[in-house]
Amino acid sequence: MEDTRSRQVVIAGAGVAGLTAALAFSERGYLVRLFEQAPRLEAAGAGIQLSPNATRILRQLGVLDRLLPAAVRPEAVVLKDAATLRELARVPLGEAAERRWQAPYLVAHRADLQDALMARLAERPDISLVTGARVGGIATGPRHATATVEIAGKTVEAGGFLLIGADGVWSAIRAFGGFSAKSRFSGELAWRATISAGSVAGEALAAVGAANCVTTFLHPGFHLVAYPVSNGTAFNLAAFTRGEIIAERWSGHADPNILLGAMRGTAAALARLAEDAGPWTAWPIHTVDQAQPWTTPAGIALIGDAAHAMTPFAAQGAAMAIE
């Protein structure tokens, strides 16, 4: 029993960070028990940007080839003035970027990334995944950590030499593990929508030159990021504004007039796009104090948003979780 525990890792949370961590530990010969609180895996969010620092790791873990058929290689990252649609800056991507960084820059739907990770997970018999499993407490010993997990009304204990909290910005592991940092609402709301490329909004987006690129429209009151997903059949839109706190979960209800009001003074085509692309889903952006410890000597570690949730920064949230 002790020998098995010394080679076992327990992970709470089966999002991007948790699934990637499970594969990484499995590749190194460890047994992995992965617990997810949700009754089934659902991809929170919509689109996701995967820069070469992330896709290089996905390739090493055997995930990249499974993702490529559904992903898009954008031609560039483009910054535009939201009021005039004038191009402010451009960073070439595509084949040139792949030659430079030896890995592709991709955009994809988060569900497609999750499917690719799960497909690889299914090939690893040393990883067990249990959904509908809520961690209710933690105990630590000299060389192990044990999580008390509630599954279908029953309580089980899962122990290993390492317990990973990959359970997001509102992490239970962070609370149970004695970490002092709590998440803090940043004062910003993120708004997301996914639109068909053939829809009125999709055609309007293509008309302003955003069909084959990651395009960010900049304005004093907001910024809007748009890029193709699902092999180019849809566009992901993500806008960021100031706003009041809403429910502490991935998405909630917020007045869409907050977004529409923030977009006053933008180009007419962009303002119409915001209306045609609805309904928008809002979620609160929370941060975690990154100066706080993210490991304990007792064998507990935080990764992903549990450790370093942050406001949008160079589209690196998911990449940091993977790294």
Side-chain angles (χ1 to χ4, degrees), residues 3-34:
D3 182 63
T4 299
R5 179 175 285 180
S6 71
R7 299 294 299 170
Q8 184 161 273
V9 178
V10 178
I11 301 176
V16 171
L19 293 172
T20 305
L23 291 172
F25 279 113
S26 173
E27 290 282 344
R28 288 159 177 77
Y30 294 97
L31 300 173
V32 180
R33 297 184 72 183
L34 179 58

Coordinates of all heavy atoms in Angstrom, one line a residue, residues 3-34:
D3 N 4.0 1.5 -0.9 CA 4.7 1.6 -2.2 C 3.8 2.2 -3.3 O 4.3 3.1 -4.1 CB 5.2 0.3 -2.6 CG 6.1 0.4 -3.9 OD1 7.1 1.0 -3.9 OD2 5.6 -0.2 -5.0
T4 N 2.6 1.8 -3.3 CA 1.6 2.4 -4.3 C 1.4 3.8 -4.1 O 1.4 4.7 -5.0 CB 0.3 1.6 -4.3 OG1 0.5 0.2 -4.6 CG2 -0.7 2.2 -5.3
R5 N 1.2 4.2 -2.8 CA 1.0 5.6 -2.5 C 2.2 6.5 -2.8 O 2.0 7.6 -3.3 CB 0.7 5.7 -1.0 CG 0.4 7.1 -0.5 CD 0.0 7.2 0.9 NE -1.4 6.8 1.1 CZ -2.0 6.7 2.3 NH1 -1.3 7.0 3.4 NH2 -3.2 6.3 2.4
S6 N 3.4 5.9 -2.7 CA 4.6 6.7 -3.0 C 4.7 7.0 -4.5 O 5.5 7.8 -4.9 CB 5.9 5.9 -2.5 OG 6.1 4.8 -3.3
R7 N 4.0 6.2 -5.3 CA 4.0 6.5 -6.8 C 2.7 7.0 -7.3 O 2.5 7.1 -8.5 CB 4.3 5.2 -7.5 CG 5.6 4.5 -7.2 CD 6.8 5.4 -7.6 NE 6.8 5.6 -9.1 CZ 7.6 6.4 -9.7 NH1 8.4 7.2 -9.0 NH2 7.6 6.6 -11.0
Q8 N 1.8 7.5 -6.4 CA 0.5 7.9 -6.8 C 0.4 9.5 -6.6 O 0.8 10.0 -5.6 CB -0.6 7.2 -6.0 CG -2.0 7.6 -6.5 CD -3.0 6.6 -6.0 OE1 -3.2 5.6 -6.7 NE2 -3.6 6.8 -4.8
V9 N -0.3 10.1 -7.6 CA -0.6 11.5 -7.6 C -2.1 11.6 -7.6 O -2.8 11.0 -8.4 CB 0.0 12.2 -8.8 CG1 -0.3 13.7 -8.8 CG2 1.5 12.1 -8.8
V10 N -2.6 12.5 -6.8 CA -4.1 12.8 -6.7 C -4.2 14.2 -7.3 O -3.6 15.1 -6.8 CB -4.6 12.7 -5.3 CG1 -6.1 13.0 -5.3 CG2 -4.4 11.2 -4.8
I11 N -5.2 14.4 -8.2 CA -5.4 15.7 -8.8 C -6.9 16.0 -8.7 O -7.7 15.2 -9.0 CB -5.0 15.7 -10.3 CG1 -3.5 15.3 -10.5 CG2 -5.3 17.0 -11.0 CD1 -3.1 15.2 -12.0
A12 N -7.1 17.2 -8.2 CA -8.5 17.7 -8.1 C -8.7 18.7 -9.2 O -8.0 19.7 -9.2 CB -8.8 18.3 -6.7
G13 N -9.7 18.4 -10.1 CA -10.0 19.3 -11.2 C -9.5 18.8 -12.5 O -8.3 18.5 -12.7
A14 N -10.5 18.6 -13.4 CA -10.2 18.0 -14.8 C -10.4 19.1 -15.9 O -11.0 18.8 -16.9 CB -11.0 16.8 -15.0
G15 N -9.9 20.3 -15.6 CA -9.9 21.3 -16.7 C -8.6 21.1 -17.5 O -8.0 20.1 -17.5
V16 N -8.2 22.2 -18.2 CA -7.0 22.1 -19.0 C -5.8 21.8 -18.2 O -5.0 20.9 -18.5 CB -6.8 23.4 -19.8 CG1 -5.5 23.5 -20.4 CG2 -8.0 23.6 -20.8
A17 N -5.6 22.5 -17.0 CA -4.5 22.2 -16.2 C -4.5 20.8 -15.6 O -3.4 20.1 -15.7 CB -4.4 23.2 -15.0
G18 N -5.6 20.3 -15.1 CA -5.6 19.0 -14.5 C -5.4 17.9 -15.5 O -4.7 16.9 -15.2
L19 N -6.1 18.0 -16.6 CA -5.9 16.9 -17.7 C -4.4 16.9 -18.1 O -3.9 15.8 -18.3 CB -6.8 17.2 -18.8 CG -8.3 17.0 -18.5 CD1 -9.2 17.5 -19.7 CD2 -8.7 15.6 -18.2
T20 N -3.9 18.1 -18.4 CA -2.5 18.1 -18.8 C -1.5 17.6 -17.8 O -0.6 16.8 -18.1 CB -2.1 19.6 -19.2 OG1 -3.0 20.1 -20.1 CG2 -0.7 19.6 -19.8
A21 N -1.8 17.9 -16.5 CA -0.9 17.4 -15.4 C -1.0 15.9 -15.3 O 0.0 15.2 -15.1 CB -1.3 18.1 -14.1
A22 N -2.2 15.4 -15.5 CA -2.4 13.9 -15.4 C -1.6 13.2 -16.5 O -0.9 12.2 -16.2 CB -3.9 13.6 -15.6
L23 N -1.6 13.7 -17.7 CA -0.8 13.1 -18.8 C 0.7 13.3 -18.5 O 1.4 12.3 -18.7 CB -1.2 13.8 -20.1 CG -2.6 13.5 -20.6 CD1 -2.9 14.4 -21.8 CD2 -2.7 12.0 -21.0
A24 N 1.1 14.4 -18.0 CA 2.5 14.6 -17.7 C 3.0 13.7 -16.6 O 4.1 13.1 -16.8 CB 2.7 16.1 -17.3
F25 N 2.3 13.5 -15.6 CA 2.7 12.5 -14.5 C 2.7 11.1 -15.1 O 3.6 10.3 -14.8 CB 1.8 12.7 -13.3 CG 2.2 13.8 -12.4 CD1 1.3 14.9 -12.2 CD2 3.4 13.8 -11.7 CE1 1.7 16.0 -11.4 CE2 3.7 14.9 -10.9 CZ 2.9 16.0 -10.7
S26 N 1.7 10.8 -15.8 CA 1.6 9.4 -16.4 C 2.8 9.1 -17.3 O 3.3 8.0 -17.3 CB 0.3 9.3 -17.2 OG 0.2 8.1 -17.9
E27 N 3.2 10.1 -18.1 CA 4.3 9.9 -19.0 C 5.6 9.6 -18.2 O 6.5 9.0 -18.7 CB 4.5 11.2 -19.8 CG 3.5 11.5 -20.9 CD 3.7 10.6 -22.1 OE1 4.8 10.0 -22.3 OE2 2.7 10.5 -22.9
R28 N 5.6 10.1 -16.9 CA 6.8 9.9 -16.1 C 6.7 8.7 -15.2 O 7.5 8.5 -14.3 CB 7.1 11.1 -15.3 CG 7.6 12.3 -16.2 CD 7.4 13.6 -15.5 NE 8.0 14.7 -16.3 CZ 7.5 15.2 -17.5 NH1 6.4 14.7 -17.9 NH2 8.1 16.1 -18.1
G29 N 5.6 7.8 -15.4 CA 5.5 6.6 -14.7 C 4.8 6.6 -13.4 O 4.8 5.6 -12.6
Y30 N 4.0 7.7 -13.2 CA 3.2 7.7 -11.9 C 1.8 7.3 -12.2 O 1.3 7.5 -13.3 CB 3.2 9.2 -11.4 CG 4.6 9.7 -10.9 CD1 5.4 10.4 -11.8 CD2 5.0 9.3 -9.6 CE1 6.6 10.9 -11.3 CE2 6.3 9.8 -9.2 CZ 7.1 10.5 -10.1 OH 8.3 10.9 -9.6
L31 N 1.2 6.7 -11.1 CA -0.2 6.5 -11.1 C -1.0 7.7 -10.8 O -0.6 8.5 -9.9 CB -0.6 5.4 -10.1 CG 0.1 4.0 -10.3 CD1 -0.2 3.1 -9.1 CD2 -0.4 3.4 -11.6
V32 N -2.1 8.0 -11.5 CA -2.8 9.3 -11.3 C -4.3 9.0 -11.0 O -4.9 8.2 -11.8 CB -2.7 10.2 -12.6 CG1 -3.5 11.5 -12.3 CG2 -1.2 10.4 -12.9
R33 N -4.8 9.6 -10.0 CA -6.2 9.6 -9.7 C -6.7 11.0 -9.9 O -6.3 11.9 -9.1 CB -6.5 9.0 -8.3 CG -6.1 7.6 -8.1 CD -6.5 7.1 -6.7 NE -7.9 6.8 -6.6 CZ -8.5 6.4 -5.5 NH1 -7.8 6.2 -4.4 NH2 -9.8 6.2 -5.5
L34 N -7.6 11.2 -10.8 CA -8.1 12.5 -11.2 C -9.6 12.6 -10.8 O -10.4 11.8 -11.2 CB -7.9 12.7 -12.7 CG -8.4 14.0 -13.3 CD1 -7.7 15.2 -12.7 CD2 -8.0 13.9 -14.8

